[in-house]
Amino acid sequence: MFMGTTPFITVRARRPLTEIEFCAWVAQAVPGDRLEYHRGFLVLDIFPMFARLPDQERAELARLGSRAFWAAEQGLVHLVQERTGPDQFAYIAVARPKPKAAAVSLSALLLAEQGQPDHATGSSGRAAA
Protein backbone atom coordinates (compact mmCIF):
# COMPACT_ATOMS: atom_id res chain seq x y z
CA MET A 1 0.00 0.00 0.00
CA PHE A 2 1.36 3.41 -0.98
CA MET A 3 1.41 6.01 1.76
CA GLY A 4 1.96 9.38 0.16
CA THR A 5 2.56 12.57 1.99
CA THR A 6 -0.10 15.18 2.34
CA PRO A 7 1.10 18.70 1.66
CA PHE A 8 0.47 21.27 4.34
CA ILE A 9 -1.57 24.15 3.03
CA THR A 10 -1.54 27.33 5.06
CA VAL A 11 -4.34 29.84 4.59
CA ARG A 12 -3.02 33.37 4.45
CA ALA A 13 -5.38 36.29 4.90
CA ARG A 14 -5.36 39.04 2.28
CA ARG A 15 -5.62 41.65 5.01
CA PRO A 16 -4.77 41.74 8.71
CA LEU A 17 -6.99 39.42 10.77
CA THR A 18 -8.96 40.57 13.77
CA GLU A 19 -9.18 38.71 17.04
CA ILE A 20 -12.81 37.81 16.26
CA GLU A 21 -11.91 36.39 12.84
CA PHE A 22 -9.17 34.31 14.47
CA CYS A 23 -11.66 32.95 17.02
CA ALA A 24 -14.12 32.09 14.24
CA TRP A 25 -11.38 30.17 12.44
CA VAL A 26 -10.42 28.28 15.61
CA ALA A 27 -14.07 27.33 16.21
CA GLN A 28 -14.54 25.81 12.76
CA ALA A 29 -11.05 24.49 12.00
CA VAL A 30 -10.42 20.78 11.72
CA PRO A 31 -7.22 19.21 13.04
CA GLY A 32 -4.28 20.05 10.78
CA ASP A 33 -5.79 23.22 9.30
CA ARG A 34 -3.20 26.00 9.23
CA LEU A 35 -3.81 29.74 9.38
CA GLU A 36 -1.17 32.43 8.98
CA TYR A 37 -2.47 35.06 11.38
CA HIS A 38 0.40 37.55 11.04
CA ARG A 39 3.45 38.19 8.91
CA GLY A 40 6.21 40.40 10.25
CA PHE A 41 7.98 40.48 13.61
CA LEU A 42 5.13 40.33 16.10
CA VAL A 43 6.90 41.52 19.24
CA LEU A 44 8.23 44.59 17.43
CA ASP A 45 5.02 45.17 15.46
CA ILE A 46 3.01 45.62 18.68
CA PHE A 47 5.64 47.63 20.56
CA PRO A 48 4.72 51.35 20.31
CA MET A 49 8.28 52.60 19.88
CA PHE A 50 9.07 50.32 16.92
CA ALA A 51 5.68 49.73 15.35
CA ARG A 52 4.93 51.21 11.97
CA LEU A 53 1.23 50.61 12.46
CA PRO A 54 -1.34 53.17 13.59
CA ASP A 55 -2.35 52.82 17.25
CA GLN A 56 -5.69 51.14 16.51
CA GLU A 57 -4.15 48.51 14.19
CA ARG A 58 -1.32 47.91 16.66
CA ALA A 59 -3.83 47.38 19.48
CA GLU A 60 -5.83 44.93 17.35
CA LEU A 61 -2.65 43.03 16.47
CA ALA A 62 -1.76 42.82 20.18
CA ARG A 63 -5.23 41.39 20.92
CA LEU A 64 -4.81 38.90 18.07
CA GLY A 65 -1.42 37.77 19.35
CA SER A 66 -2.76 37.39 22.88
CA ARG A 67 -5.78 35.42 21.65
CA ALA A 68 -3.54 33.10 19.60
CA PHE A 69 -1.42 32.42 22.69
CA TRP A 70 -4.60 31.85 24.73
CA ALA A 71 -5.87 29.34 22.13
CA ALA A 72 -2.56 27.48 22.38
CA GLU A 73 -2.81 27.39 26.18
CA GLN A 74 -6.33 25.95 25.86
CA GLY A 75 -4.98 23.16 23.64
CA LEU A 76 -6.93 24.35 20.60
CA VAL A 77 -3.94 25.18 18.35
CA HIS A 78 -0.21 24.77 18.00
CA LEU A 79 1.63 28.01 17.28
CA VAL A 80 4.58 27.90 14.90
CA GLN A 81 6.75 30.44 13.15
CA GLU A 82 8.30 30.19 9.73
CA ARG A 83 11.15 32.50 8.81
CA THR A 84 10.33 34.30 5.56
CA GLY A 85 13.34 36.63 5.50
CA PRO A 86 15.62 38.69 7.73
CA ASP A 87 13.56 39.73 10.77
CA GLN A 88 10.39 38.50 9.02
CA PHE A 89 8.26 35.58 10.15
CA ALA A 90 4.96 33.96 9.25
CA TYR A 91 3.01 33.30 12.46
CA ILE A 92 0.92 30.19 11.94
CA ALA A 93 -1.78 28.53 14.03
CA VAL A 94 -2.27 24.81 13.42
CA ALA A 95 -5.61 23.45 14.58
CA ARG A 96 -5.44 20.60 17.08
CA PRO A 97 -8.12 18.03 17.80
CA LYS A 98 -10.71 19.57 20.07
CA PRO A 99 -10.24 18.45 23.69
CA LYS A 100 -12.62 15.55 24.37
CA ALA A 101 -12.90 16.31 28.07
CA ALA A 102 -14.12 19.81 27.33
CA ALA A 103 -17.59 19.63 25.85
CA VAL A 104 -17.62 23.41 26.09
CA SER A 105 -17.85 25.61 23.03
CA LEU A 106 -15.25 28.22 22.18
CA SER A 107 -17.80 30.95 22.88
CA ALA A 108 -18.38 29.53 26.37
CA LEU A 109 -14.62 29.57 27.03
CA LEU A 110 -14.41 33.18 25.86
CA LEU A 111 -17.35 34.21 28.03
CA ALA A 112 -15.86 32.44 31.04
CA GLU A 113 -12.59 34.29 30.49
CA GLN A 114 -14.47 37.58 30.63
CA GLY A 115 -16.51 36.53 33.67
CA GLN A 116 -19.81 36.74 31.80
CA PRO A 117 -22.52 34.10 32.36
CA ASP A 118 -22.89 31.34 29.80
CA HIS A 119 -26.62 31.32 29.11
CA ALA A 120 -26.51 27.70 27.91
CA THR A 121 -25.20 26.40 31.24
CA GLY A 122 -26.14 29.26 33.53
CA SER A 123 -22.61 29.43 34.90
CA SER A 124 -20.42 32.47 35.05
CA GLY A 125 -17.22 30.56 34.38
CA ARG A 126 -15.67 31.84 37.62
CA ALA A 127 -15.54 30.02 40.88
CA ALA A 128 -17.43 31.48 43.78
CA ALA A 129 -15.26 32.98 46.51
Side-chain angles (χ1 to χ4, degrees), residues 24-41:
W25 177 84
V26 170
Q28 61 83 37
V30 296
D33 282 357
R34 295 166 50 104
L35 173 69
E36 182 180 308
Y37 61 93
H38 180 65
R39 185 170 283 234
F41 199 142

mmCIF file of all heavy atoms in Angstrom, residues 24-41:
data_model
loop_
_atom_site.group_PDB
_atom_site.id
_atom_site.type_symbol
_atom_site.label_atom_id
_atom_site.label_comp_id
_atom_site.label_asym_id
_atom_site.label_seq_id
_atom_site.Cartn_x
_atom_site.Cartn_y
_atom_site.Cartn_z
ATOM 1 N N ALA A 24 -13.198 32.791 15.147
ATOM 2 C CA ALA A 24 -14.117 32.095 14.240
ATOM 3 C C ALA A 24 -13.394 30.963 13.522
ATOM 4 O O ALA A 24 -13.932 29.866 13.361
ATOM 5 C CB ALA A 24 -14.715 33.077 13.240
ATOM 6 N N TRP A 25 -12.149 31.222 13.101
ATOM 7 C CA TRP A 25 -11.378 30.173 12.438
ATOM 8 C C TRP A 25 -11.114 29.023 13.397
ATOM 9 O O TRP A 25 -11.289 27.853 13.035
ATOM 10 C CB TRP A 25 -10.059 30.731 11.891
ATOM 11 C CG TRP A 25 -9.227 29.668 11.266
ATOM 12 C CD1 TRP A 25 -9.332 29.191 9.994
ATOM 13 C CD2 TRP A 25 -8.182 28.912 11.891
ATOM 14 N NE1 TRP A 25 -8.415 28.177 9.802
ATOM 15 C CE2 TRP A 25 -7.703 27.988 10.951
ATOM 16 C CE3 TRP A 25 -7.622 28.931 13.171
ATOM 17 C CZ2 TRP A 25 -6.672 27.094 11.229
ATOM 18 C CZ3 TRP A 25 -6.599 28.035 13.456
ATOM 19 C CH2 TRP A 25 -6.131 27.133 12.498
ATOM 20 N N VAL A 26 -10.704 29.321 14.623
ATOM 21 C CA VAL A 26 -10.423 28.277 15.614
ATOM 22 C C VAL A 26 -11.667 27.421 15.848
ATOM 23 O O VAL A 26 -11.589 26.194 15.923
ATOM 24 C CB VAL A 26 -9.922 28.878 16.945
ATOM 25 C CG1 VAL A 26 -9.873 27.831 18.051
ATOM 26 C CG2 VAL A 26 -8.552 29.512 16.760
ATOM 27 N N ALA A 27 -12.823 28.048 15.926
ATOM 28 C CA ALA A 27 -14.067 27.333 16.213
ATOM 29 C C ALA A 27 -14.431 26.347 15.109
ATOM 30 O O ALA A 27 -14.973 25.277 15.387
ATOM 31 C CB ALA A 27 -15.200 28.326 16.432
ATOM 32 N N GLN A 28 -14.137 26.681 13.856
ATOM 33 C CA GLN A 28 -14.545 25.811 12.759
ATOM 34 C C GLN A 28 -13.423 24.972 12.167
ATOM 35 O O GLN A 28 -13.660 24.104 11.343
ATOM 36 C CB GLN A 28 -15.222 26.633 11.647
ATOM 37 C CG GLN A 28 -14.339 27.703 11.015
ATOM 38 C CD GLN A 28 -13.421 27.182 9.911
ATOM 39 O OE1 GLN A 28 -13.803 26.315 9.156
ATOM 40 N NE2 GLN A 28 -12.213 27.717 9.835
ATOM 41 N N ALA A 29 -12.189 25.197 12.579
ATOM 42 C CA ALA A 29 -11.046 24.488 11.998
ATOM 43 C C ALA A 29 -11.046 23.015 12.378
ATOM 44 O O ALA A 29 -11.451 22.644 13.477
ATOM 45 C CB ALA A 29 -9.746 25.141 12.463
ATOM 46 N N VAL A 30 -10.591 22.204 11.448
ATOM 47 C CA VAL A 30 -10.423 20.776 11.719
ATOM 48 C C VAL A 30 -8.937 20.527 11.970
ATOM 49 O O VAL A 30 -8.083 21.300 11.516
ATOM 50 C CB VAL A 30 -10.955 19.902 10.560
ATOM 51 C CG1 VAL A 30 -12.450 20.082 10.398
ATOM 52 C CG2 VAL A 30 -10.240 20.196 9.267
ATOM 53 N N PRO A 31 -8.620 19.475 12.717
ATOM 54 C CA PRO A 31 -7.217 19.206 13.036
ATOM 55 C C PRO A 31 -6.327 19.210 11.787
ATOM 56 O O PRO A 31 -6.658 18.603 10.773
ATOM 57 C CB PRO A 31 -7.253 17.825 13.686
ATOM 58 C CG PRO A 31 -8.620 17.746 14.287
ATOM 59 C CD PRO A 31 -9.511 18.474 13.312
ATOM 60 N N GLY A 32 -5.225 19.952 11.887
ATOM 61 C CA GLY A 32 -4.282 20.053 10.778
ATOM 62 C C GLY A 32 -4.454 21.300 9.939
ATOM 63 O O GLY A 32 -3.550 21.678 9.189
ATOM 64 N N ASP A 33 -5.610 21.958 10.021
ATOM 65 C CA ASP A 33 -5.794 23.221 9.296
ATOM 66 C C ASP A 33 -4.754 24.214 9.795
ATOM 67 O O ASP A 33 -4.435 24.247 10.988
ATOM 68 C CB ASP A 33 -7.195 23.804 9.532
ATOM 69 C CG ASP A 33 -8.276 23.118 8.715
ATOM 70 O OD1 ASP A 33 -7.952 22.225 7.911
ATOM 71 O OD2 ASP A 33 -9.457 23.474 8.914
ATOM 72 N N ARG A 34 -4.241 25.031 8.885
ATOM 73 C CA ARG A 34 -3.197 26.001 9.230
ATOM 74 C C ARG A 34 -3.643 27.392 8.788
ATOM 75 O O ARG A 34 -4.116 27.568 7.682
ATOM 76 C CB ARG A 34 -1.893 25.637 8.514
ATOM 77 C CG ARG A 34 -1.309 24.323 8.953
ATOM 78 C CD ARG A 34 -0.221 23.812 8.011
ATOM 79 N NE ARG A 34 0.799 24.794 7.693
ATOM 80 C CZ ARG A 34 2.026 24.809 8.211
ATOM 81 N NH1 ARG A 34 2.390 23.893 9.073
ATOM 82 N NH2 ARG A 34 2.887 25.739 7.862
ATOM 83 N N LEU A 35 -3.454 28.358 9.674
ATOM 84 C CA LEU A 35 -3.812 29.743 9.381
ATOM 85 C C LEU A 35 -2.636 30.642 9.708
ATOM 86 O O LEU A 35 -2.142 30.640 10.844
ATOM 87 C CB LEU A 35 -5.023 30.179 10.214
ATOM 88 C CG LEU A 35 -5.402 31.655 10.125
ATOM 89 C CD1 LEU A 35 -5.944 32.005 8.744
ATOM 90 C CD2 LEU A 35 -6.403 32.011 11.206
ATOM 91 N N GLU A 36 -2.188 31.406 8.731
ATOM 92 C CA GLU A 36 -1.175 32.426 8.983
ATOM 93 C C GLU A 36 -1.914 33.655 9.500
ATOM 94 O O GLU A 36 -2.626 34.313 8.762
ATOM 95 C CB GLU A 36 -0.409 32.770 7.712
ATOM 96 C CG GLU A 36 0.684 33.787 7.950
ATOM 97 C CD GLU A 36 1.445 34.143 6.681
ATOM 98 O OE1 GLU A 36 1.912 33.223 5.991
ATOM 99 O OE2 GLU A 36 1.531 35.348 6.393
ATOM 100 N N TYR A 37 -1.727 33.961 10.775
ATOM 101 C CA TYR A 37 -2.474 35.060 11.375
ATOM 102 C C TYR A 37 -1.698 36.369 11.411
ATOM 103 O O TYR A 37 -2.276 37.423 11.668
ATOM 104 C CB TYR A 37 -3.002 34.680 12.766
ATOM 105 C CG TYR A 37 -1.958 34.327 13.792
ATOM 106 C CD1 TYR A 37 -1.458 35.290 14.655
ATOM 107 C CD2 TYR A 37 -1.486 33.022 13.907
ATOM 108 C CE1 TYR A 37 -0.508 34.967 15.606
ATOM 109 C CE2 TYR A 37 -0.544 32.689 14.862
ATOM 110 C CZ TYR A 37 -0.054 33.665 15.706
ATOM 111 O OH TYR A 37 0.893 33.340 16.649
ATOM 112 N N HIS A 38 -0.389 36.310 11.136
ATOM 113 C CA HIS A 38 0.400 37.548 11.040
ATOM 114 C C HIS A 38 1.679 37.261 10.274
ATOM 115 O O HIS A 38 2.210 36.158 10.327
ATOM 116 C CB HIS A 38 0.740 38.091 12.429
ATOM 117 C CG HIS A 38 1.546 39.353 12.403
ATOM 118 N ND1 HIS A 38 1.056 40.542 11.884
ATOM 119 C CD2 HIS A 38 2.807 39.617 12.801
ATOM 120 C CE1 HIS A 38 1.992 41.475 11.980
ATOM 121 N NE2 HIS A 38 3.060 40.941 12.537
ATOM 122 N N ARG A 39 2.158 38.268 9.574
ATOM 123 C CA ARG A 39 3.448 38.189 8.908
ATOM 124 C C ARG A 39 4.210 39.450 9.260
ATOM 125 O O ARG A 39 3.730 40.553 9.067
ATOM 126 C CB ARG A 39 3.279 38.087 7.393
ATOM 127 C CG ARG A 39 4.616 37.869 6.686
ATOM 128 C CD ARG A 39 4.415 37.535 5.232
ATOM 129 N NE ARG A 39 3.985 36.152 5.111
ATOM 130 C CZ ARG A 39 4.578 35.258 4.348
ATOM 131 N NH1 ARG A 39 5.611 35.592 3.622
ATOM 132 N NH2 ARG A 39 4.129 34.023 4.279
ATOM 133 N N GLY A 40 5.386 39.275 9.818
ATOM 134 C CA GLY A 40 6.208 40.401 10.251
ATOM 135 C C GLY A 40 7.102 39.959 11.393
ATOM 136 O O GLY A 40 7.649 38.863 11.366
ATOM 137 N N PHE A 41 7.216 40.801 12.401
ATOM 138 C CA PHE A 41 7.979 40.475 13.613
ATOM 139 C C PHE A 41 7.080 40.923 14.756
ATOM 140 O O PHE A 41 7.115 42.083 15.184
ATOM 141 C CB PHE A 41 9.309 41.216 13.618
ATOM 142 C CG PHE A 41 10.342 40.638 14.533
ATOM 143 C CD1 PHE A 41 11.667 40.607 14.148
ATOM 144 C CD2 PHE A 41 10.014 40.127 15.778
ATOM 145 C CE1 PHE A 41 12.653 40.085 14.975
ATOM 146 C CE2 PHE A 41 10.973 39.594 16.620
ATOM 147 C CZ PHE A 41 12.305 39.570 16.207
#
